[in-house]
Amino acid sequence: MSDNGKLRALIVEHERATPGGLVYEWLEAHDADVEELRIDIDDRHVDPADYDLLIPLGSEFAAFDDHIPWIPREKELLQEAVEADVSVLGICFGGQLLARALGGKSFRAGESEIGWLPVRTRDPELVPAGPWFQWHFDTFTAPPGATVLADTDVGPQAYVVGRNMGLQFHPEVTPQIMDSWVHTYRHELDAEGVDPDALLEQTRRQAAVNRRTSWQLLEAFLDRVARLGKA
């Protein structure tokens, strides 16, 4: 904790970053001290021990593409965080890279997952069945020692290892985030045959339920996984 007793969180963002939506709202509700790191343009060394929680967000890039210079640096940051017993919550790309950092693999999936999709959950109090918003073309194997809590036919959707959790879906998504994603990545939707207007409308209809479901997951993560529930 910081000197004032607040939860200290570092949000790791990437190119074309979109503000973390419900994750930011949740951290604000906990009166957390939040810093942001645009790791793709900021190559300074960050000591994860300065924080209680790291949250690497999604990216348009593949978590297995080490030709991109900042991906190995972020992987090393996540390894250092785990070694320092700093809790990590990895979201989409962040969850895939966390899996890699801990010994799993990330690779191109047999099929994409785009839209509001349910997951098969083994612990609905921690990871509700959704539907959760998905937009990804890659998948991963859970790292050694991890417990997979949710999956789909494409691959793992949530896992826990130690005080860390990786997610394939996007609990942070809001209608505002979706507007930005559809504007930026409409070509991906067109290529996959996804109707962007229908996706935006479904996101608006789902917003209130998704906020409650995401809050449930984030609170359970903080209490049961990160064990920072008294923050």
Side-chain angles (χ1 to χ4, degrees), residues 38-202:
R38 271 291 306 275
I39 197 165
D40 58 311
I41 59 176
D42 187 347
D43 62 0
R44 64 189 168 92
H45 179 264
V46 174
D47 186 352
D50 291 337
Y51 306 92
D52 305 300
L53 176 63
L54 264 64
I55 306 179
L57 298 178
S59 170
E60 65 182 290
F61 297 103
F64 53 80
D65 190 354
D66 286 342
H67 292 96
I68 299 171
W70 56 265
I71 289 182
R73 286 196 292 109
E74 183 169 348
K75 179 169 169 272
E76 183 177 355
L77 173 63
L78 299 183
Q79 289 171 329
E80 291 176 354
V82 173
E83 290 169 1
D85 197 30
V86 175
S87 185
V88 178
L89 174 63
I91 295 175
C92 197
F93 170 93
Q96 295 174 15
L97 193 61
L98 176 63
R100 279 196 65 203
L102 298 179
K105 295 180 180 180
S106 176
F107 48 91
R108 197 70 167 179
E111 60 183 281
S112 63
E113 290 183 297
I114 301 177
W116 289 92
L117 305 172
V119 302
R120 292 185 294 259
T121 178
R122 298 165 180 81
D123 189 341
E125 295 302 314
L126 177 54
V127 183
W132 295 102
F133 185 71
Q134 313 261 9
W135 190 331
H136 58 90
F137 303 92
D138 304 327
T139 187
F140 63 93
T141 61
T147 300
V148 175
L149 298 179
D151 67 352
T152 63
D153 290 343
V154 173
Q157 292 288 329
Y159 65 91
V160 166
V161 55
R163 298 178 60 235
N164 313 288
M165 173 181 280
L167 304 174
Q168 179 65 90
F169 51 82
H170 288 276
E172 82 280 18
V173 77
T174 63
Q176 293 75 23
I177 286 178
M178 190 64 69
D179 283 337
S180 174
W181 286 353
V182 167
H183 175 75
T184 304
Y185 301 107
R186 183 168 185 141
H187 61 285
E188 293 185 357
L189 300 178
D190 292 341
E192 295 292 320
V194 177
D195 181 343
D197 295 326
L199 190 61
L200 288 168
E201 177 57 30
Q202 187 175 7

Side-chain angles (χ1 to χ4, degrees), residues 8-30:
R8 302 168 301 179
L10 178 67
I11 307 290
V12 184
E13 297 181 336
H14 314 99
E15 186 175 356
R16 296 182 182 175
T18 303
L22 294 178
V23 169
Y24 277 83
E25 289 185 27
W26 170 69
L27 289 169
E28 289 174 2
H30 281 275

